[in-house]
Amino acid sequence: MQFNVYLSGEIHTDWRAQIIQACEKLELNIVFSTAVTDHDQSDSAGDQLKQANTDEGQGFWRDHRSAKVNAIRTKTMIEACDIAIIRFGDKYKQWNAAFDAGYCAALNKPYITLHSEDIIHPLKEVDAAAHGWATNVDQVVETLTYLLK
């Protein structure tokens, strides 16, 4: 069996690489996908759509265009995945991760949240719809191993 796993959320640590490397070491048959994790690339995803001779600046309209372009990637990858792992970090608010979790729930796509215990309360609704909650990468890898073996 092969799984398509979408890795969503926090981009400031190497949790994605840890999961991918551990799953490769275990020879799990997984194809991973992820959003663009480079801030500058993500923020400029829609820059090519700026209309000439407009005064759109670097504010709302730039963010709006880039969000729409990024949404094409995210929407396509979530729809194609078998399961999503959605990481919420401690340092920043990941509104995009919460949105991805809601989209997974709306599509009836299983997802596992990955976050520390100190943010259980703000994520109670997100976790309630999840198929699992992990506090570390090892738990995610063990769960994927179980699902595929």
Side-chain angles (χ1 to χ4, degrees):
M1 175 159 50
Q2 178 181 354
F3 262 21
N4 292 316
V5 177
Y6 182 68
L7 302 174
S8 169
E10 183 262 318
I11 65 169
H12 302 284
T13 62
D14 68 345
W15 69 274
R16 285 177 177 82
Q18 290 177 39
I19 290 173
I20 293 168
Q21 290 168 0
C23 289
E24 286 173 351
K25 186 176 180 180
L26 294 168
E27 299 182 354
L28 298 180
N29 193 5
I30 298 176
V31 174
F32 290 98
S33 60
T34 185
V36 174
T37 59
D38 180 281
H39 271 286
D40 292 336
Q41 287 180 357
S42 178
D43 289 349
S44 65
D47 284 358
Q48 71 281 0
L49 299 175
K50 183 177 186 261
Q51 301 303 307
N53 302 320
T54 61
D55 185 25
E56 294 181 0
Q58 296 295 322
F60 174 82
W61 291 111
R62 181 178 193 231
D63 286 346
H64 186 73
R65 284 190 313 273
S66 293
K68 287 180 173 249
V69 170
N70 283 324
I72 295 168
R73 180 184 178 98
T74 302
K75 181 179 185 292
T76 301
M77 290 182 176
I78 288 175
E79 289 172 359
C81 80
D82 297 304
I83 186 170
I85 310 301
I86 304 177
R87 165 87 175 129
F88 293 89
D90 301 328
K91 190 172 181 182
Y92 299 99
K93 307 284 189 264
Q94 288 90 44
W95 309 119
N96 58 323
F99 188 87
D100 289 355
Y103 192 54
C104 286
L107 293 175
N108 203 27
K109 291 278 182 177
Y111 69 90
I112 296 171
T113 56
L114 172 58
H115 63 82
S116 62
E117 291 185 30
D118 61 341
I119 54 175
I120 290 172
H121 181 72
L123 292 173
K124 63 186 175 295
E125 287 82 8
V126 172
D127 285 338
H131 286 77
W133 163 50
T135 58
N136 61 61
V137 166
D138 291 338
Q139 291 175 323
V140 171
V141 173
E142 287 177 35
T143 303
L144 292 172
T145 301
Y146 172 80
L147 294 171
L148 286 163
K149 297 249 174 164

